[in-house]
Amino acid sequence: NKRILIIDGAGSYRCALLGGALAKLAEKNKWEGVIVFGCVRDSFEVKECDVGVWALATHPKRSKKAGAGIIGEAIEIHGTQIKSGEFCIADMDGILVSAEEL
């Protein structure tokens, strides 16, 4: 199975939720992609990784590591609910979500 990570940053532009080091870790762990409902940093490093990354924007500020994440919970992005086990296809124009493999 191909796996992606979805980070729900509530659409915030206050700081980056993914950077080069985490993108490299995602690549090492064979993740296919990361969708960030928020910002990323180290965009040149992220581009060099063999992981598809989709985000709203870039931001130079790091996030605080509060360890507050929840794994497997459904999230909502712009009125679209995404549940664990669903399928996503992303390109430069956006993301499609489906309960069935596309």
Side-chain angles (χ1 to χ4, degrees):
N1 275 341
K2 296 181 179 181
R3 300 182 317 160
I4 63 168
L5 172 64
I6 302 176
I7 301 171
D8 185 2
S12 173
Y13 288 86
R14 291 178 297 187
C15 64
L17 301 174
L18 177 90
L22 285 178
K24 287 177 186 174
L25 184 60
E27 177 184 45
K28 178 183 173 191
N29 289 322
K30 309 239 186 271
W31 288 83
E32 290 292 317
V34 181
I35 298 171
V36 183
F37 188 35
C39 298
V40 299
R41 57 186 242 116
D42 307 325
S43 60
F44 289 104
E45 290 178 43
V46 171
K47 278 181 160 181
E48 294 298 315
C49 293
D50 189 24
V51 175
V53 176
W54 191 93
L56 297 178
T58 59
H59 196 294
K61 183 180 178 184
R62 291 180 181 184
S63 63
K64 294 180 180 175
K65 308 292 188 245
I70 299 171
I71 297 172
E73 186 173 287
I75 65 170
E76 188 171 314
I77 298 175
H78 293 297
T80 300
Q81 190 174 64
I82 305 171
K83 300 174 193 157
S84 182
E86 290 190 318
F87 298 87
C88 297
I89 294 180
D91 67 13
M92 296 300 291
D93 296 321
I95 301 167
L96 296 174
V97 178
S98 173
E100 298 176 18
E101 190 168 0
L102 301 171

